[in-house]
Every structure is written in structure tokens, then in C-alpha cells.
Amino acid sequence: MGFSHSLTTFVTLTLLGASSLVSGRSLPKGEIVRRALPPSRFKCTYPEGWKMCNEEKRECWVRRPDGFEFNITTDYEDFIPEGIQRNITLELTETSISPDGIAKPLAKLINGTFPGPLIEACWGDTLQVTVVNKLPDNGTSIHWHGIRQLNTNHMDGVNGVTQCPTAENDSFTYKFRLTQYGHSWYHSHYSSQYGDGIAAPLLIHGPSSEDWEFEAEPIVVSDWLHESAFKEFGKEYHGPGLPAADSILINGQGKFYDQATGVAAPGGNFYKYPQKFEAGKRYLIRITNGSSGLHFHFSIDHHTLRVISTDFVPITPYDTNSLSVAIGQRYTVIVEAKPSAPSNGKFWMRTEFAGGLCNTALRGVSTSNRDQQRTGIISYVDTPEDTLPESTRFAATIACADEPYAKIKPKVEWNFGADKIQNDYQKNTYEAGLENVRRRMKATHWAISDMPMWLDMSKPTILQTKNDSSAWDPEYAIVNYNYINGDEYVIMVVTAGSLDQTVNRFSSWHPIHLHGHDFVVLAQGTTKYSRTESPKTFNFNNPPRRDVVMLPAGGYIAIAFKPDNPGVWLLHCHIAWHAGSGLALQVMERQSEIETSLGTGALDPIREGCKKWDAWTQLPGKFNPKDPEHGQEDSGI
């Protein structure tokens, strides 16, 4: 049967004294009446006899006929509702658009829009998404950021790792179950392609850590380039300068400022939050950083952000007035319509950023001019449409650091001790940095393993899992994690800069993303890692858990995950230019079980796609990665 999950789901009425209802029945003092608002366009469907409970309390989701309740404390790695299959078709095309008032001639779009269409589903559903590639002279692959892909490694969407690129005029169908809930994004993992527009929000409806009344579309914040991202990437190797974006967009709207005059190009717009605020109401806002190179702080003037989730992990709520969001990270916040200072009924939404190692300067947004970093508008009811906010910013410090470690406390706890660690993590320590030797493209590269990653997109790793480790190409940066106890943990330590490498590596900030897993952050140090002293600081008592974490410049991170998902999983910096340069490795997890876990014939479409890709690269005038003059120029991811 179907259940409606409304985008404006309930109104809460607290009765301060005994009151009569229309029926004549009186309620005792303090009882809460919850009335469902009209159903929205979106519907969650579960089996006959299952009952939704999310309109009773947001922490609850659905109850089975036997009384078992799926809620905010349910371990979603072990217990998943029985959803339905949702079928979607996406078409990728290339055209010119001007979201900030300046034309981008080679924008790449999903179903004709940037960002692409919101994909919505419900906890436990299965998505089947057919991606049709109509991009001229480009392959593609679509990654479902943060999705666990339990026993569906071949659906992870990373060319050169889990598939070959989907060739022009070909299609590929992804199918996977949504074992988590929350919001994320889906994007191309083909070279620099998502920086040209192949990115879009993904929303999986489920429970929340705290009650709220209204929600609207997720917010995707992205830096935007007028030039092709592929061309911009070339600066990573040979300059002049470093790759840089031009402007900041929220859901495809923004402004480009002439830095000589401070005047914005005509045609650009501030993002207007689609729901008018009503005093005292609580609004759920979902924020995603879908940038190529921008780390930002999100805030709404005079309003407190109550943070209730990090990435796909619900947490104990905490309050802040400025939220630091790394590339690939997501946060869900509740905002009460109760401003701390008056304005004119409108308030600025800000996406502020720092310079230095944190961000390359944007060409059309000044690093020092906070007014140019005002990107959206929140309006209260009964305010004129044609006026701008008169609000002022919080005195927030803008930096590259993650949200405070101690504030992130998952609702579903992972507590364990050193006796539950399977690996010798002193042998699984990796150094992320920019090398000082020249390799491919006669350039220096970012790396995290022994060699910078460089993939042959025609030979994805998933088709090579029968090979002995001695046959692995060193440039594939494969590390062996064949640990068989899925209830215990393995640790990875990543340092910013050199630790043991004979090749010196330059330290910087990096948003580190692991595919196929949530991980706990045992430590996030801002000083150089010590093999003897740093492990003494590891936190095994419900540490923060997520799928993207900031590696501090000059410091280190120690992360742990359960090796319970056979596959080849990418770990990489989510700064697109660093990943393209080679800052990535592949975690080979339970190698002997990978093909079996996928099921009989699961790799047949992968092999067929590789044949079509290889044939397309041989056509006259098409991109051939092996062309010595005009071939592959980056790692492939």
C-alpha cells in the first residue's frame, strides 16, 4: 500500500490548558495534536500492513505488522525496510548556459538542467537508473556519492575501477538498493566532467533526529567555471596559476562580479529559498557541497542552524551559526523561524570561503569581500518580492577545518576497542601530498599511495579481480584489504605530507572520501603523525562517522571501517583537480568474494560496455585515451 510523505507534513498544536476538540472531547494540559497537511507529490510505498509513523514523530519512520519499528536508532546496516523499485532515465547533453550571467559554451547537463533533476526515493527502495550518453566526444560514468552499494560494487560508477566509460550514444543501467537514508548527490566520475555540470541532488526519505514542520528542495552549492573544466585542469600541471572557478551557485543560480568595478554581470541571480518562513515554524534544510574546489561556510543571517545529520549519518543535534562544509560533505539542519535580530523580513544566505591552502581565489567572487559571498535569500511571509535583505552576517571565523570533532555524535553508535582491530595499521599508513618529481605529462602529481593513480579506462579493476596482486599495475594504486571478519574493523591512517616516503610530498588540506562505506574518524590531528604517540589519542567511543572527512594540512586522520562489503572501493581527495592529478587509491576488499557477491552474470554488462567504449575510441575524430598527442591527460577519475 502507499503512504504519502509530505514536503509539508504536519502542524503541531500544543494546548496549554484543557481544550475541546470539534468532537467535544477534551485534551489534558500539554497534550499535542498533530494534523497531517495535504499530501505532497511524493509517496513512499511499503508492503500491505506496514504503517508510517513519521507524522507522529520525526524520529519514527515505519512499523511492520509484527510491531518492529524502523526509526532513528535502527542500525541501518543490519535492518532495512522493504521498499519498491523506482525506474529513472537520465540523458546527458552539451549546450551553452549562463547561470551567473556569463555564458559557459560547453556546459554538460543532465536532462537539460544544472544541477540535474532531483532523484527522490525512500529508505529501502531500489533505484534503477538508465544513463544515456549524448555528450559529443565524451565518455561518462555516474557515481552515487555515499551510497553503500552493499554487494553491488559494479554499480558504483567509477570508470577505470568498476566499469569502462559509457560511450557517446550508448547507455548504462545502474541498479542498487538504498540501505541508508538522508541526502547526497550523484555526479560524473569521468575525469573533470562533473565540474562542467554533470551533478545533481539525491534524496532518500527517512527519519530525522528531531521534529520539523516544513522542508523544500535540497540545496547544492557549487563553484562554477565558464571555461571547460577539462581545460582548467591543465593548469594543475603547467599553469599559469592553479585551476580556479569563476562564481558560486546555489541550485544553479549565482552572480559573477567584475573585480575591477564590483558590479555583477547582468542575468545572474541570488538563489531564493522556495518556501516563505512563518514565525515560529521549523524548517528542514539539506546542504550539499557539490564543488570542484570550493570549501565554504554556510550561514543564514540572525538564524541558528540546528545540525541533525552529517553525510548519511543522523547525529545528536547541536547548534551553530556557521557550518563548515567540505567538498562532498552533506549536512541537514533545522532552522527555526526566530531571528535573533530584526531585518526587513529578509535574510541573507551566505556561502563564505577562505583563501590560502583552503581555496584558490575565484575570478568573479572576492575572497575578502563578504558581500560578494551572499548567495541566497530567505524571505518571511508578507515581504515584498523586489527588496533585498538588510541583515548582517555573524562574526564567524572562516577556515578550512571540519565541524568540531566533539560535536558530531552519531545516533547509532559504534563503540569498540583495540581488540576489534584486524589489521596492522602501521603498515596501512598513507601519505597525501604533491610530489616534487615529474612523471606523466612531464608534471608533478598529487598522490596518496606509492604512485599517483593513473587508470587505463578500458581495463577496469573489477574485471581483474582474478589476478594475483603481483600482476597489479602500480599506477592503479591498489591496496590489499582482504580481511574477512565483517564485524570487526580495519584502520587507515592518512597523513598530509611526507612521513616515510623518500619522495618529498607537499602538505595541504584534502577532503578525503571513501566509496562503499561509512567510516569512523578515530582521530583528526593538526600536528604531524607520530607512530608511537598519535595512536594513544584514538577515540573508540562513538567517534564521528561519515564518508568525507577533512585531512588537515600538516596533520593526519585515522579512520576505521568494517570490511563487510566485497569490492574495489575508491578512496580519493574530492578536490577534482587533486583527484585528476592522482590523489587516490583503490581498496581491494575481500578480493576472492567480489564476483560471487555480485551474482551470476553481473559483470556481463560491464564487459559489453567496455567493448563499445573501445570501439568508439577508434572512430575517426573521437577521443582516444591512448593517442600520444591528444589522449588521456589525467588519472581518469
Side-chain angles (χ1 to χ4, degrees), residues 112-125:
T113 66
F114 178 78
L118 167 65
I119 291 180
E120 286 185 275
C122 300
W123 185 16
D125 284 352

Side-chain angles (χ1 to χ4, degrees), residues 2-240:
F3 300 99
S4 177
H5 180 67
S6 176
L7 287 183
T8 52
T9 308
F10 68 72
V11 174
T12 300
L13 174 63
T14 302
L15 303 179
L16 299 179
S19 302
S20 294
L21 300 181
V22 175
S23 64
R25 179 173 66 86
S26 293
L27 289 176
K29 182 178 180 179
E31 186 166 338
I32 295 175
V33 181
R34 300 177 189 272
R35 296 192 179 98
L37 294 177
S40 76
R41 54 177 174 71
F42 198 79
K43 184 176 288 187
C44 289
T45 302
Y46 291 105
E48 187 73 31
W50 290 48
K51 294 184 178 180
M52 295 292 291
C53 53
N54 192 242
E55 294 182 12
E56 302 170 13
K57 192 171 181 60
R58 294 299 188 191
E59 292 183 346
C60 191
W61 185 243
V62 67
R63 296 188 186 102
R64 291 191 315 221
D66 64 2
F68 183 89
E69 184 176 286
F70 294 88
N71 59 39
I72 200 70
T73 63
T74 302
D75 189 339
Y76 44 83
E77 294 206 344
D78 294 327
F79 301 96
I80 308 158
E82 298 176 25
I84 62 171
Q85 180 169 308
R86 299 180 185 272
N87 302 320
I88 297 163
T89 298
L90 304 174
E91 183 175 86
L92 313 187
T93 56
E94 185 175 271
T95 190
S96 177
I97 62 173
S98 308
D100 62 359
I102 304 295
K104 179 181 177 72
L106 298 177
K108 297 169 178 60
L109 308 178
I110 306 175
N111 288 9
T113 66
F114 178 78
L118 167 65
I119 291 180
E120 286 185 275
C122 300
W123 185 16
D125 284 352
T126 294
L127 282 184
Q128 180 170 293
V129 186
T130 298
V131 177
V132 181
N133 181 16
K134 295 292 185 179
L135 296 171
D137 208 33
N138 266 229
T140 197
S141 64
I142 300 297
H143 171 59
W144 314 92
H145 185 101
I147 296 296
R148 190 179 179 202
Q149 298 290 4
L150 182 63
N151 298 321
T152 51
N153 180 224
H154 58 314
M155 298 287 107
D156 197 39
V158 186
N159 43 234
V161 178
T162 61
Q163 65 175 95
C164 290
T166 303
E168 180 185 2
N169 294 320
D170 192 16
S171 66
F172 186 85
T173 298
Y174 299 89
K175 185 177 180 181
F176 49 91
R177 193 174 182 200
L178 301 172
T179 61
Q180 305 136 291
Y181 55 85
H183 74 286
S184 190
W185 57 313
Y186 60 99
H187 62 82
S188 172
H189 233 304
Y190 177 88
S191 297
S192 302
Q193 195 174 76
Y194 89 73
D196 278 339
I198 304 297
L202 171 64
L203 174 56
I204 307 165
H205 293 281
S208 301
S209 299
E210 204 167 89
D211 286 350
W212 46 268
E213 292 165 277
F214 301 101
E215 64 176 336
E217 61 192 16
I219 289 173
V220 179
V221 180
S222 56
D223 50 12
W224 185 248
L225 297 94
H226 300 151
E227 268 287 5
S228 160
F230 292 84
K231 181 177 180 180
E232 193 69 23
F233 172 76
K235 295 178 182 178
E236 185 65 43
Y237 291 151
H238 303 299

Side-chain angles (χ1 to χ4, degrees), residues 256-395:
F256 176 83
Y257 295 90
D258 183 310
Q259 292 306 294
T261 64
V263 176
N269 291 291
F270 294 114
Y271 169 74
K272 294 182 179 179
Y273 189 72
Q275 215 162 24
K276 292 289 186 74
F277 272 28
E278 295 182 51
K281 302 298 184 183
R282 289 162 62 85
Y283 296 82
L284 189 77
I285 298 180
R286 301 176 174 98
I287 305 146
T288 297
N289 188 338
S291 300
S292 294
L294 178 72
H295 181 119
F296 64 84
H297 282 238
F298 177 87
S299 64
I300 300 171
D301 289 354
H302 309 321
H303 288 77
T304 298
L305 309 177
R306 190 154 180 81
V307 186
I308 66 170
S309 76
T310 58
D311 299 347
F312 274 132
V313 180
I315 64 171
T316 300
Y318 73 89
D319 293 336
T320 186
N321 56 30
S322 181
L323 190 65
S324 183
V325 190
I327 301 169
Q329 288 183 340
R330 293 90 65 207
Y331 286 92
T332 306
V333 302
I334 294 172
V335 179
E336 185 175 359
K338 186 180 178 181
S340 59
S343 182
N344 59 344
K346 294 189 173 184
F347 298 85
W348 288 114
M349 186 182 290
R350 299 174 187 264
T351 51
E352 300 179 330
F353 61 94
L357 293 177
C358 190
N359 289 295
T360 305
L362 277 70
R363 282 182 284 266
V365 181
S366 169
T367 305
S368 59
N369 188 334
R370 296 299 181 203
D371 285 351
Q372 293 184 5
Q373 297 166 31
R374 302 177 303 189
T375 45
I377 297 173
I378 296 283
S379 297
Y380 277 68
V381 294
D382 299 326
T383 56
E385 291 293 332
D386 58 351
T387 59
L388 294 177
E390 297 174 0
S391 59
T392 56
R393 68 182 294 272
F394 286 108

Side-chain angles (χ1 to χ4, degrees), residues 410-462:
K411 296 287 284 187
V412 177
E413 297 187 5
W414 285 9
N415 298 301
F416 57 100
D419 60 322
K420 296 297 183 182
I421 303 302
Q422 299 181 64
N423 65 321
D424 180 358
Y425 55 84
Q426 300 290 17
K427 296 179 180 178
N428 294 126
T429 300
Y430 308 94
E431 298 150 81
L434 181 66
E435 294 187 337
N436 64 355
V437 296
R438 296 189 181 275
R439 299 185 188 270
R440 288 182 179 267
M441 308 299 297
K442 298 179 181 179
T444 56
H445 292 254
W446 293 92
I448 190 172
S449 188
D450 292 339
M451 293 279 287
M453 178 176 282
W454 191 279
L455 301 171
D456 181 342
M457 291 186 282
S458 293
K459 297 179 179 178
T461 312
I462 202 167

